[in-house]
Amino acid sequence: MKRLFATACVCALLLISGCAGKPQAEINRTDFVLGTVCSIQLSSGGSDKTADAIFARLRQIDDTMSANKDGTEIAAVNAAAGKKAVTVSADTFYVISKALEYAKKTNGAFDPTVGPLVKLWNIGNEGAKVPAAKDIKAMLALIDYRKVEMDPAKLTVRLPVAGMRLDLGAIAKGYAADEAVKILKAQKVKSAIIDLGGNIFVYGKKKDGSPWMVGIQNPYSDRGEYIGLVTGHQMTVVTSGVYERYFIENGKRYHHILDTKTGFPVDNGLVSVSIVTDSSIDADALSTSVFALGLDKGMEFVKSLQGVYAIFIDEKDRVYLSPGANNVFKLTDSKFTLSE
Ligand code: ADP
Ligand code: MG
């Protein structure tokens, strides 16, 4: 079996800095956290301490919300499935609640209880292969966001069935980006880029006053090439795509966004969905949600929201924009066509 997966050390989105020569006081930091490569650039305001504080916060979020390592709050909730309720921090409670909100809004196309299926497929890790049908069926039976018991007074979470597992992989990086932005605000940073493995937040104004430009990754080329640019002063741009994490078996690509009905990777003709808005937790949840919903239902969902733009790319190199997205996004690669 040939196995491939995109490593996390390159970004899903390319940032076009547009400036020749680095301004002197710029602070750049890159580190592996949240299961991916995270970079921050403080281009105006802030200090090394700001960068330290941001990375400390990212690590803390990883250490409480990861489903993939021991000792986190999510691991404790998962280990207690079918048994007891577990007290979590207000942060974790909030992120789970947000995930459950999106689960409700998408009728379970987005579902943070997808954990058993994520673990079974193991996509992005060594040895991933298509699981046996009976195993997929068994895991599907454990997925149901409506069963998660949340007690806001006690900050407890309970998974009522043994084997249930929460997975916040589709939303935690967005939350983390928003938390990084809180630090930028508190420390009076004027201009910065937060890039958590392609989950981008461009903050404040660029030094020269020109708008930020964020490239939307070409889903077929090696990372770095983009099909078009999103332009704006302060915004988050988050993409979910088939190229993020995947493996190939018998010539077929199996990627990491799973269909909670079939138990297989979502297979609806889309190759990526990018969301542009001002809250990264929403952008992250939405990019996965809209991808899982598909073009028609996903477009309807985006239309029901204020200040949210979506850029869809399908297998036939067609690009679909939600209403108003044409004001922020410009297609630059002529191999792709804009569709109505
Ligand atoms: P990335 O992690 O590359 O930024 P996403 O935000 O789209 O991409 O999240 C994908 C991750 O979300 C998967 O790796 C898995 O942990 C989890 N996931 C997979 N399918 C679903 C789903 N249907 N609903 C919610 N989370 C999912
Ligand atoms: Mg997401």
Side-chain angles (χ1 to χ4, degrees):
M1 184 193 72
K2 197 173 158 217
R3 182 177 157 277
L4 283 170
F5 68 90
T7 55
C9 59
V10 267
C11 309
L13 299 158
L14 176 76
L15 276 153
I16 317 296
S17 71
C19 53
K22 278 184 185 166
Q24 279 181 348
E26 199 172 88
I27 294 169
N28 286 288
R29 269 302 170 86
T30 298
D31 210 346
F32 193 87
V33 58
L34 295 161
T36 190
V37 173
C38 297
S39 300
I40 59 173
Q41 184 185 93
L42 309 177
S43 31
S44 176
S47 62
D48 278 323
K49 283 203 172 114
T50 314
D52 292 343
I54 291 173
F55 272 102
R57 182 74 180 114
L58 299 183
R59 256 178 232 109
Q60 187 191 27
I61 292 168
D62 198 8
D63 291 344
T64 46
M65 300 188 200
S66 172
N68 307 318
K69 55 185 196 185
D70 294 336
T72 70
E73 293 180 350
I74 294 300
V77 170
N78 292 345
K83 293 178 232 156
K84 56 183 191 334
V86 172
T87 306
V88 297
S89 60
D91 296 348
T92 302
F93 195 89
Y94 168 72
V95 177
I96 298 171
S97 306
K98 265 283 203 189
L100 293 172
E101 246 175 60
Y102 278 96
K104 206 169 164 193
K105 286 181 183 157
T106 62
N107 252 321
F110 179 99
D111 191 332
T113 68
V114 72
L117 202 55
V118 174
K119 195 170 171 221
L120 178 69
W121 277 89
N122 198 26
I123 293 172
N125 296 311
E126 210 58 50
K129 59 176 180 356
V130 177
K134 68 166 184 4
D135 293 337
I136 291 178
K137 215 174 147 205
M139 297 306 124
L140 279 177
L142 293 166
I143 299 172
D144 190 348
Y145 67 93
R146 291 165 300 192
K147 289 187 180 151
V148 180
E149 296 166 19
M150 305 285 288
D151 183 337
K154 292 190 189 142
L155 290 183
T156 59
V157 184
R158 181 171 175 268
L159 302 176
V161 183
M164 281 182 84
R165 277 176 72 87
L166 288 176
D167 182 315
L168 300 178
I171 190 167
K173 271 187 281 163
Y175 174 72
D178 289 336
E179 289 298 296
V181 166
K182 276 191 195 162
I183 295 171
L184 296 176
K185 273 188 194 140
Q187 304 210 4
K188 309 238 176 336
V189 172
K190 290 200 195 79
S191 174
I193 298 165
I194 305 289
D195 176 355
L196 311 183
N199 190 316
I200 309 274
F201 205 119
V202 281
Y203 179 82
K205 279 218 160 123
K206 253 169 74 182
K207 257 184 156 176
D208 62 3
S210 65
W212 299 105
M213 285 194 268
V214 178
I216 299 295
Q217 161 79 21
N218 179 329
Y220 306 108
S221 76
D222 280 344
R223 294 177 175 228
E225 278 181 43
Y226 55 91
I227 67 141
L229 296 170
V230 179
T231 305
H233 279 293
Q234 173 155 317
M235 61 185 175
T236 184
V237 184
V238 180
T239 299
S240 285
V242 300
Y243 55 86
E244 294 285 342
R245 286 173 201 257
Y246 64 91
F247 67 90
I248 307 253
E249 191 173 306
N250 294 329
K252 192 168 161 49
R253 183 199 292 253
Y254 296 90
H255 66 86
H256 72 148
I257 301 168
L258 301 170
D259 185 325
T260 51
K261 296 270 179 308
T262 65
F264 275 76
V266 170
D267 189 6
N268 58 16
L270 291 177
V271 289
S272 80
V273 173
S274 301
I275 300 288
V276 183
T277 188
D278 54 7
S279 146
S280 210
I281 189 169
D282 291 291
D284 196 4
L286 276 168
S287 67
T288 314
S289 293
V290 171
F291 187 97
L293 285 171
L295 180 61
D296 294 343
K297 282 189 188 162
M299 188 68 91
E300 282 312 305
F301 187 27
V302 173
K303 280 183 184 168
S304 75
L305 305 167
Q306 290 288 314
V308 175
Y309 305 107
I311 301 144
F312 300 72
I313 306 176
D314 78 3
E315 286 166 354
K316 300 202 167 121
D317 297 347
R318 289 179 300 212
V319 178
Y320 298 83
L321 302 179
S322 68
N326 58 329
N327 295 323
V328 295
F329 173 78
K330 198 170 171 335
L331 187 65
T332 54
D333 186 334
S334 59
K335 289 195 284 299
F336 290 77
T337 50
L338 268 184
S339 291
E340 285 308 313

